[in-house]
Amino acid sequence: AQTVTQSQPEMSVQEAETVTLSCTYDTSESDYYLFWYKQPPSRQMILVIRQEAYKQQNATENRFSVNFQKAAKSFSLKISDSQLGDAAMYFCACIQGAQKLVFGQGTRLTINP
Amino acid sequence: DTGVSQDPRHKITKRGQNVTFRCDPISEHNRLYWYRQTLGQGPEFLTYFQNEAQLEKSRLLSDRFSAERPKGSFSTLEIQRTEQGDSAMYLCASSYNNQPQHFGDGTRLSIL
């Protein structure tokens, strides 16, 4: 069975600084995708970034980038130049086979002005 | 693209009552998913449709839960004889084949 673990329940960062959110996962499949989703308070889940497991190159989306370490089954999210609007719950997720997402427990990110 | 729409946004009901939620996916999306999210946790998969066929159900989906997607468009999730433990946010998501899932705002269920 797939599992996704986020070991940081809460993180905080000063506005304009860089923060890294950690995620580890376990899967027996060789073909899978990894995601980071953002869930602002009382708002919908939004896709931040996606990584295909077969790609060695780390995905980047503007200020958001990942460090994908396949052998270590690690998938961290780096947010550069943090903005107040980045404050949210961040969920790491894995998908394989039947395409159901398996989520981690989430990390609450606070941005300090 | 009007996004995934869920109705109602909030539902408060007494224990033992039946409730039904509706999800309207993005129009061209053939896959539709239901998840449940309790406070402080990540969403957990409940069930998944490809077009009108329900292809997978989680063991979390007890006999009191039923989901349908009769014409491969909107979906309903019904909970019969609600219990305190059913209190949660119920999220719907849709996708086109293996493309990323897009989520709705969710329906928050509170059981009195």
Side-chain angles (χ1 to χ4, degrees):
Chain A
Q2 279 180 290
T3 58
V4 177
T5 302
Q6 294 177 249
S7 58
Q8 305 155 315
E10 295 184 357
M11 291 282 285
S12 63
V13 64
Q14 290 295 126
E15 191 176 5
E17 296 294 309
T18 295
V19 64
T20 298
L21 308 184
S22 300
C23 173
T24 58
Y25 63 93
D26 193 16
T27 178
S28 57
E29 298 293 323
S30 58
D31 184 18
Y32 55 92
Y33 292 81
L34 296 164
F35 302 85
W36 279 96
Y37 278 89
K38 168 185 176 180
Q39 188 177 40
S42 301
R43 295 183 63 186
Q44 66 182 205
M45 194 88 69
I46 302 166
L47 177 65
V48 174
I49 199 165
R50 176 174 77 156
Q51 174 80 42
E52 293 90 338
Y54 64 87
K55 288 187 177 179
Q56 292 186 339
Q57 185 173 6
N58 289 325
T60 299
E61 201 66 49
N62 300 316
R63 298 183 294 107
F64 299 86
S65 61
V66 299
N67 183 5
F68 175 46
Q69 302 289 326
K70 190 171 184 178
K73 296 185 176 177
S74 169
F75 182 62
S76 61
L77 174 70
K78 184 171 83 172
I79 306 173
S80 303
D81 185 26
S82 298
Q83 300 176 0
L84 295 178
D86 295 333
M89 283 291 288
Y90 284 81
F91 292 98
C92 177
C94 183
I95 198 167
Q96 65 182 43
Q99 302 299 317
K100 61 183 180 186
L101 284 163
V102 176
F103 287 88
Q105 305 91 321
T107 297
R108 182 176 303 280
L109 178 64
T110 302
I111 311 296
N112 300 315
Chain B
D1 180 355
T2 58
V4 178
S5 176
Q6 291 189 245
D7 184 69
R9 291 291 305 275
H10 304 276
K11 180 70 177 179
I12 301 173
T13 193
K14 294 181 179 179
R15 186 167 52 115
Q17 297 296 304
N18 298 344
V19 294
T20 300
F21 311 140
R22 178 180 170 122
C23 172
D24 287 88
I26 293 171
S27 59
E28 65 268 23
H29 286 185
N30 55 348
R31 292 182 180 175
L32 186 147
Y33 308 80
W34 285 99
Y35 294 85
R36 182 170 69 186
Q37 185 179 23
T38 53
L39 203 59
Q41 300 295 316
E44 295 176 292
F45 171 78
L46 291 179
T47 190
Y48 141 66
F49 292 84
Q50 174 139 335
N51 300 312
E52 66 275 9
Q54 188 174 18
L55 297 186
E56 187 170 349
K57 293 193 291 185
S58 164
R59 58 181 171 76
L60 294 176
L61 215 63
S62 75
D63 291 345
R64 297 184 299 106
F65 288 70
S66 63
E68 294 182 344
R69 194 182 183 199
K71 297 182 179 179
S73 57
F74 73 91
S75 174
T76 58
L77 177 67
E78 181 183 15
I79 309 174
Q80 295 182 328
R81 304 180 304 281
T82 52
E83 302 174 355
Q84 289 284 349
D86 296 333
S87 294
M89 177 75 84
Y90 290 83
L91 297 172
C92 177
S94 70
S95 72
Y96 179 71
N97 289 338
N98 291 348
Q99 295 301 307
Q101 294 175 27
H102 295 257
F103 283 80
D105 288 335
T107 293
R108 183 171 297 282
L109 174 63
S110 299
I111 307 297
L112 301 178

